Amino acid sequence: MEAPDNESFRDSIATINEDGKRAWVFPKKPSGKFYDYRKIVSYILLVFLFAAPFVKINGNQFLLFNVLERRFNIFGFPFWPQDFHLFVISMIIGVIFITVFTVAFGRIFCGWICPQTIFLEMVFRRIEYWIDGDRGAQMKLKRTKWTPEKIRKRVLKHTIFIIISFLIANVFLAYLIGSDKLLNYVTEGPIKHLGTLFPLLIFTGLFYFVFSWFREQVCIIACPYGRLQGVLLDNKSIIVAYDHKRGEGENGRKKFRKNEDRAALGHGDCIDCMQCVHVCPTGIDIRNGTQLECVNCTACIDECDDIMEKVGLPKGLIRYASEDNIEKKEPFKFTLRLKAYIVVLFILIGVLIAMLQLRNDVEARVLRLPGQLFEHKADNIISNVFTYKLVNKTTKEINDVNFKLKKFKGTIKLVSTDKSFVVPAQGLAEGTLFIELNQSLIKGDKTKLTIEVYSGKKLIETTTVNFLGPRSYN
C-alpha cells in the first residue's frame, strides 16, 4: 500500500538518496541554550568515560568489563563468575532505567548521554567545524577539486581523527582488560604484546570508521534502541516536537515578509526557513513529526528559537512537548504504564541491594572427588576425599585459611604439609582434602556436613557436603 503524500518521507531515511547511495549530512554548527547545556553534560561525561577505568575504589577498578576472564566491576563493586546473576540483574536494571526515561522523555538518552553522540557531536564534528568551517564551507570544500588547501585540511583533519580514535581505543581496552594491565603493556612496549596490539589497532580502525564516515548511520541503522522507540513512545511521552497547530495555521507555513499580518492570511508561525533541517545531525525535517532518526539532540529547538526571536514571534515553535500537549494542551503526567515500569525498577533495585548484602567476599566450594566413594581406616574411621576451591573477591590476600567441621567430631586433613594456606587477592586457592569421621557418627549412607572456613580464628564462609559411608542395617 502506497503511503500518502504527507507520509512519503517515511518510505526512506534522510541519509539515503533516491539512487540508494549515501546522502552525506552537513549539519549547521549548533548554538543556543540547550547546546550549551549539552556541552556541559558532554564534557562531564567525557571526563568520566576517560577516567573511570583508572579510578579505583578499595583497590577495584571503578568500571571493568573483562569478558574473557568473566570479571566485571560496576562502580567499584566486583562481580565474579559466581556473581553472574547479580551482574544480569544490574544490566536489567540499566535497561529498565533507560526504558523509563524513553517512555517519559523520548530518546533523550541518545541526544544527551550516549557515547556515540557525545564523541561525534562534541569531539569529531567540533574539530571538523574548526578545520573545514560551517555547513556552507564544508559543502563547498567537498565540491572543490583537490587543491593544496583541500589536501592540507583533509590530512590535518583525518590525522587528528586517527589520533583521537587511537586514544579512545586505548581507553576502551582499559575497560576490557583493566587499566593496570594496559599501563603495563604500554611501559613494556608493544612488541612484547603483539596479541594486544592487533586488537588495539582494529578498535582504532573501527572507531575511526564510525566517527569519520559511518557517523549518524549508527543511530539510524545499527543501534537497536532507535527501533525500540517506536514501541516505547506514546502520545504522552515528552519528545522534541514541532507545534504543527501553531506552525501551520489554517493555510500552512509561509516565508517571512516584514510587516505582514500572517494571522489574518491564515498562515502559521513557521516561516519555512529550513534552519531546523540544516542544523539536524541526522538530516531530518522535524516538522514531519516523530521519526526514528530523531535523537532528541535539541539542535532544532535552539535554531528555531533563534529564528523566532529575530522575526519577533514567540519562541517554542519546536520544543519539548508530548503529542497530547500539542493537540489537547494536556500537561505531562505519569501514565499507568510509566508507573508500572517505575515499580518494577524499584523492586529490582531492592532485590539487587538485598542480594549484595548477602553476598560474601569469599566463596568456598567443596566437591567430592569424581569416582571416589569412601575408605575404611583403622579404629572404625571412614574417610572421604574432596576437592576445594576458594575464591577471594577482595583486593587483600586472606592468610591462615583452615577448615573445621561444625557439630561433628571429625578431622579435616589437607593434602599438603601445611595445616593452613593463603588465598591471594582477587584470586583463588584450590586443592584436595580428606574428611575423617568415626563410623558411629554416620547415619545412613549419606550424612550432610557443614564445613566452616576460617581465616585464623575469624569465620569467613560456610559450605556443605554429603559424606558417604557404609549403609547401616537395623
Side-chain angles (χ1 to χ4, degrees):
M1 181 177 179
E2 186 178 353
D5 292 340
N6 62 340
E7 292 287 320
S8 60
F9 70 94
R10 298 191 188 278
D11 295 338
S12 62
I13 58 178
T15 54
I16 302 296
N17 60 27
E18 294 178 355
D19 299 327
K21 297 180 180 179
R22 171 76 178 274
W24 195 264
V25 177
F26 294 95
K28 180 182 176 182
K29 185 177 180 180
S31 61
K33 177 181 67 175
F34 283 106
Y35 185 64
D36 291 338
Y37 292 155
R38 284 178 60 213
K39 282 194 292 186
I40 295 171
V41 173
S42 297
Y43 295 146
I44 291 173
L45 290 175
L46 281 172
V47 171
F48 174 81
L49 287 170
F50 277 95
F54 303 96
V55 173
K56 293 187 177 182
I57 297 178
N58 296 325
N60 294 313
Q61 187 170 309
F62 191 69
L63 287 176
L64 174 68
F65 304 95
N66 192 333
V67 179
L68 296 178
E69 297 179 7
R70 293 181 297 170
R71 287 176 56 192
F72 305 90
N73 290 352
I74 298 180
F75 305 135
F77 198 93
F79 292 87
W80 286 69
Q82 296 82 359
D83 302 318
F84 188 70
H85 59 291
L86 298 177
F87 181 75
V88 171
I89 293 176
S90 300
M91 293 298 100
I92 294 174
I93 288 174
V95 170
I96 295 180
F97 184 77
I98 293 175
T99 299
V100 168
F101 263 81
T102 304
V103 171
F105 304 110
R107 207 170 169 180
I108 192 171
F109 173 84
C110 297
W112 289 73
I113 303 173
C114 177
Q116 160 70 16
T117 303
I118 291 173
F119 278 114
L120 177 58
E121 300 301 324
M122 298 299 173
V123 179
F124 287 87
R125 276 209 167 114
R126 285 178 67 82
I127 292 171
E128 197 164 57
Y129 291 134
W130 169 58
I131 296 174
D132 291 349
D134 208 339
R135 169 183 163 83
Q138 290 181 26
M139 296 173 70
K140 181 179 179 182
L141 187 65
K142 184 177 177 63
R143 294 191 299 265
T144 303
K145 294 181 179 180
W146 285 95
T147 62
E149 177 67 12
K150 182 174 180 177
I151 294 172
R152 182 189 68 81
K153 288 186 175 182
R154 287 288 185 263
V155 170
L156 176 61
K157 181 175 74 173
H158 287 281
T159 299
I160 295 174
F161 282 3
I162 291 172
I163 292 172
I164 296 175
S165 298
F166 181 73
L167 292 175
I168 297 173
N170 274 274
V171 174
F172 181 73
L173 199 61
Y175 280 103
L176 295 181
I177 66 173
S179 57
D180 290 340
K181 190 177 289 187
L182 176 67
L183 293 174
N184 184 50
Y185 289 172
V186 172
T187 54
E188 290 182 357
I191 303 301
K192 292 184 178 180
H193 303 284
L194 292 177
T196 304
L197 177 63
F198 288 123
L200 179 63
L201 295 178
I202 290 172
F203 283 132
T204 300
L206 178 63
F207 288 127
Y208 171 72
F209 167 75
V210 167
F211 294 118
S212 67
W213 190 82
F214 204 50
R215 297 194 162 190
E216 69 284 340
Q217 301 286 80
V218 173
C219 307
I220 299 172
I221 299 173
C223 181
Y225 181 56
R227 298 295 188 273
L228 281 176
Q229 133 176 273
V231 178
L232 298 174
L233 294 182
D234 57 28
N235 291 344
K236 300 184 185 302
S237 300
I238 303 296
I239 57 174
V240 173
Y242 167 67
D243 190 341
H244 60 90
K245 284 187 167 294
R246 175 188 152 192
E248 303 297 313
E250 294 180 2
N251 297 324
R253 62 188 76 138
K254 183 181 183 295
K255 294 289 184 181
F256 178 76
R257 288 186 180 180
K258 195 173 182 179
N259 299 324
E260 183 180 54
D261 191 346
R262 298 176 67 87
L265 295 172
H267 294 294
D269 284 355
C270 178
I271 65 172
D272 205 19
C273 62
M274 299 295 290
Q275 294 307 301
C276 59
V277 180
H278 295 162
V279 80
C280 179
T282 58
I284 65 169
D285 189 340
I286 191 64
R287 297 171 298 179
N288 288 329
T290 305
Q291 298 155 71
L292 71 86
E293 296 100 319
C294 179
V295 294
N296 283 22
C297 70
T298 69
C300 55
I301 296 179
D302 283 331
E303 200 66 25
C304 186
D305 282 350
D306 182 58
I307 294 297
M308 291 293 103
E309 188 175 18
K310 288 178 179 178
V311 299
L313 294 172
K315 295 181 181 180
L317 181 59
I318 303 176
R319 63 183 186 273
Y320 273 123
S322 66
E323 291 185 14
D324 281 355
N325 177 258
I326 291 174
E327 293 284 351
K328 308 171 186 176
K329 303 300 180 183
E330 286 188 3
F332 173 77
K333 57 184 177 182
F334 285 89
T335 62
L336 181 61
R337 183 168 68 132
L338 187 56
K339 291 176 181 177
Y341 281 129
I342 293 174
V343 168
V344 171
L345 180 64
F346 276 100
I347 290 174
L348 286 174
I349 291 174
V351 170
L352 179 62
I353 292 173
M355 295 179 76
L356 289 175
Q357 294 296 320
L358 297 173
R359 173 186 181 270
N360 290 332
D361 290 333
V362 178
E363 185 163 326
R365 180 172 295 181
V366 180
L367 300 173
R368 179 175 307 285
L369 191 65
Q372 298 295 320
L373 294 176
F374 59 88
E375 180 184 0
H376 280 282
K377 289 191 172 183
D379 300 326
N380 212 25
I381 296 297
I382 304 297
S383 176
N384 282 203
V385 60
F386 298 87
T387 60
Y388 67 85
K389 180 182 290 185
L390 265 68
V391 177
N392 180 6
K393 302 173 184 177
T394 70
T395 56
K396 297 179 181 179
E397 68 177 25
I398 302 175
N399 298 303
D400 193 21
V401 178
N402 57 88
F403 298 102
K404 294 180 181 179
L405 285 178
K406 184 179 181 181
K407 296 182 180 179
F408 273 88
K409 291 183 179 180
T411 59
I412 297 180
K413 296 180 179 180
L414 299 177
V415 183
S416 66
T417 56
D418 299 322
K419 294 183 179 180
S420 63
F421 55 93
V422 175
V423 186
Q426 292 188 333
L428 61 88
E430 51 189 343
T432 306
L433 58 82
F434 290 96
I435 298 179
E436 297 179 351
L437 292 178
N438 191 289
Q439 188 172 347
S440 63
L441 299 174
I442 301 172
K443 307 295 183 182
D445 56 350
K446 283 186 181 180
T447 303
K448 191 171 184 179
L449 303 179
T450 299
I451 299 176
E452 296 178 326
V453 184
Y454 284 84
S455 174
K457 295 183 179 181
K458 180 183 178 182
L459 179 65
I460 57 176
E461 175 67 316
T462 59
T463 186
T464 59
V465 296
N466 285 320
F467 187 89
L468 299 184
R471 184 184 297 272
S472 60
Y473 298 95
N474 296 324

